[in-house]
Amino acid sequence: KGITMFKDEENAIDRRYRAFRDERDATPNKLNGYAILWNNKTPFGQYFSLNTNFGDITKVNNLIRLNGDGFDSIGTVKAIKDDSGIFIEATLHMNTPFELQRLRSINILLAKGLLIFIANPDMNKLNSHLGGYVSDKGEVTYWPLIDISLVPVPDVRNSSK
C-alpha cells in the first residue's frame, strides 16, 4: 500500500509540473521600455543627453528588483542607445512557479503603468569621477551604467509637501 501511495503522489507531482511547464511555455517573458529618455528633466532639473557618457552599455545585462534583503536578479537585459534614449529589452526568469507568478504580477503592474525601468550607475565609479557628473546646466555628463531595475512609479502627488 505504501508503494501505491508513493506512486500516486509521484503522478500528482508530475501532473503539476507538466501544468506549470505548459503555462510557462505559453507565457511571454519579454518586457521592453525606456530606462532613460533624452532631455527629460528630473524633479531636480537634471537630464540625460546623447552626449552623456554611460560607459560600455553592452556590459549591462542584469535586471534587478528591490527585496527586503537588498537586490536580486529577476532577469537579463540588453540596453540599446537610440535617438530617444536608452531602450531596454528584458527577459525575465521563469524557472519556477514562483517566478511565473511574479511575471504575471509584473505584467499586470506594467499594463497599469505602475512600473518603470531605472538605469542604475556604478556608484564606486560615479563617486570617484573627478569633475562631477552634472554640468552647470543640469546635463548629466557621466552615468556609468551597471544594471537596470524595475521599480514602482514614484507617487508625485505628495512630493512637494
Side-chain angles (χ1 to χ4, degrees):
K1 184 174 181 171
I3 293 175
T4 304
M5 188 173 169
F6 178 74
K7 195 68 170 165
D8 290 343
E9 289 175 7
E10 185 178 316
N11 289 337
I13 290 169
D14 190 49
R15 282 191 305 275
R16 283 195 301 268
Y17 175 74
R18 276 182 291 175
F20 157 71
R21 187 188 61 216
D22 292 345
E23 184 178 356
R24 179 196 66 202
D25 293 347
T27 304
N29 66 334
K30 306 281 187 207
L31 306 173
N32 298 314
Y34 280 92
I36 292 175
L37 290 171
W38 305 141
N39 304 314
N40 189 18
K41 288 199 174 187
T42 69
F44 305 106
Q46 299 171 347
Y47 63 94
F48 295 95
S49 75
L50 275 167
N51 300 323
T52 301
N53 177 358
F54 292 100
D56 185 359
I57 67 169
T58 62
K59 293 182 179 179
V60 177
N61 62 12
N62 198 22
L63 181 65
I64 61 172
R65 73 173 178 93
L66 183 64
N67 66 32
D69 300 322
F71 291 97
D72 64 354
S73 175
I74 62 170
T76 59
V77 296
K78 179 179 178 185
I80 302 162
K81 188 174 180 180
D82 67 18
D83 292 339
S84 298
I86 302 289
F87 186 75
I88 302 303
E89 294 176 352
T91 304
L92 272 68
H93 302 311
M94 286 197 323
N95 301 317
T96 66
F98 170 77
E99 289 175 336
L100 182 60
Q101 180 57 43
R102 178 175 56 202
L103 177 61
R104 281 193 218 111
S105 300
I106 287 171
N107 282 331
I108 290 168
L109 293 170
L110 282 171
K112 292 182 177 186
L114 298 174
L115 289 177
I116 55 174
F117 289 109
I118 297 291
N120 302 310
D122 181 332
M123 292 307 292
N124 290 328
K125 288 181 180 178
L126 193 64
N127 291 335
S128 65
H129 184 66
L130 299 176
Y133 60 93
V134 178
S135 74
D136 293 340
K137 297 177 185 174
E139 178 184 3
V140 178
T141 56
Y142 183 66
W143 199 257
L145 286 183
I146 192 168
D147 54 37
I148 304 297
S149 295
L150 197 55
V151 300
V153 173
D155 184 359
V156 294
R157 294 174 295 179
N158 297 318
S159 63
S160 60
K161 293 182 182 177

